[in-house]
Amino acid sequence: MSCNRKCKLNNRGAAMVLTIVLILVVLIFAFSLILVSYSLYSSQTKNLSSARNSEAVNTFSAALSSELTDSNAYNKSNLWKYLRCNIANVDSNGNFPDWPYYAEDEDGDEIATHSKEYAVRYFTVNQNESIEGLPAVMRVGIYWMLPEDINEADFLRDMASDDLDTRLGALNGIRIVIETTAETGSQVYRVEDTYRLSVAEAAETEYVREVEMLAGNSVNNPANHSIDAREKWILSLVERR
């Protein structure tokens, strides 16, 4: 075999290897571009979902605050009525029959019988599906805590009293926490609002009449708790985080 023929074969082999290498480089570059494009798309999608979640939660939280703290909430707000009927109810045995309060020990750990597992009630927010851009899921979690300056034994004793002023004193300072959460894909945004309850003796005839009607309201008072309409409940927002 002549040298020329051998050189031609070697050149063809080298050219084929070079071609394969160039194809691999192009493929790697193309896959790199696809990966970068996907990463940018995924990042933008997450940012958009996060912004939508944030906007939805903050808007909904502000609407709830306006509703619950309104001076006519007893007449306008179904959520206010629900809280009025179901929070701080104590049965004749000195127990919280269907909605225990939330509590932590001195180290900040949840107390088993008053942990969030038992104390939080969750509600899914119905959304208008025709509106684009809303989070996939919105839910509200609500729990309540005893006033900071009273323990359970004293609270139960005062709530069992026949004296109205004593019961009002026990109820004053109850804290109600409402957690609003929006989820879209892997993005979660949450706002926690804490309300403080102030209670006084009701003097307005309209207030007493409206609250008395809650005793037979199966929607807001499903457990049919007894309601003392002389207790005027006022909620105020004390913290948002």
Side-chain angles (χ1 to χ4, degrees):
M1 185 179 292
S2 67
C3 179
N4 289 337
R5 187 175 179 184
K6 289 182 179 180
C7 291
K8 288 181 180 179
L9 290 175
N10 289 336
N11 289 338
R12 288 176 181 175
M16 183 177 294
V17 171
L18 180 60
T19 301
I20 293 173
V21 171
L22 289 174
I23 291 174
L24 290 175
V25 170
V26 171
L27 287 175
I28 292 172
F29 181 70
F31 282 127
S32 297
L33 286 178
I34 294 172
L35 180 60
V36 170
S37 298
Y38 175 78
S39 297
L40 289 174
Y41 172 77
S42 178
S43 177
Q44 290 299 318
T45 300
K46 287 182 178 179
N47 290 339
L48 180 59
S49 296
S50 180
R52 287 175 173 174
N53 288 346
S54 172
E55 183 66 25
V57 167
N58 283 305
T59 301
F60 189 77
S61 172
L64 282 185
S65 176
S66 177
E67 176 180 323
L68 292 174
T69 59
D70 190 287
S71 60
N72 291 319
Y74 64 88
N75 194 17
K76 297 178 178 179
S77 172
N78 281 318
L79 178 58
W80 185 97
K81 294 176 182 178
Y82 181 83
L83 297 176
R84 175 66 181 84
C85 293
N86 295 282
I87 281 178
N89 283 293
V90 181
D91 62 21
S92 57
N93 296 319
N95 299 315
F96 301 94
D98 51 11
W99 196 349
Y101 63 89
Y102 174 74
E104 299 175 344
D105 59 23
E106 294 180 355
D107 297 324
D109 298 322
E110 294 182 351
I111 297 175
T113 54
H114 292 285
S115 66
K116 286 189 175 180
E117 179 183 357
Y118 300 103
V120 181
R121 290 191 175 183
Y122 291 102
F123 305 87
T124 301
V125 180
N126 293 328
Q127 302 184 64
N128 188 338
E129 296 182 356
S130 65
I131 300 177
E132 296 183 1
L134 291 177
V137 177
M138 276 195 70
R139 68 175 183 272
V140 174
I142 304 175
Y143 63 92
W144 67 282
M145 297 179 286
L146 295 179
E148 295 176 340
D149 57 352
I150 192 171
N151 57 40
E152 180 178 319
D154 291 340
F155 181 82
L156 291 174
R157 180 201 63 211
D158 292 348
M159 289 299 293
S161 173
D162 293 330
D163 181 64
L164 177 61
D165 288 338
T166 300
R167 294 200 305 276
L168 296 182
L171 293 169
N172 259 307
I174 279 179
R175 292 157 291 161
I176 300 171
V177 180
I178 300 180
E179 297 177 340
T180 306
T181 305
E183 298 182 13
T184 303
S186 62
Q187 301 303 299
V188 180
Y189 189 86
R190 180 180 292 107
V191 166
E192 182 180 281
D193 294 331
T194 301
Y195 296 85
R196 187 177 299 276
L197 176 63
S198 300
V199 188
E201 184 172 359
E204 303 90 336
T205 304
E206 181 185 3
Y207 176 91
V208 173
R209 183 176 64 251
E210 287 290 334
V211 175
E212 283 178 341
M213 292 172 62
L214 296 176
N217 188 320
S218 60
V219 175
N220 296 312
N221 190 7
N224 197 28
H225 294 298
S226 59
I227 305 295
D228 191 337
R230 295 174 298 170
E231 300 170 1
K232 183 175 182 179
W233 287 33
I234 299 173
L235 292 174
S236 56
L237 179 65
V238 295
E239 184 181 17
R240 172 170 290 159
R241 60 176 183 167

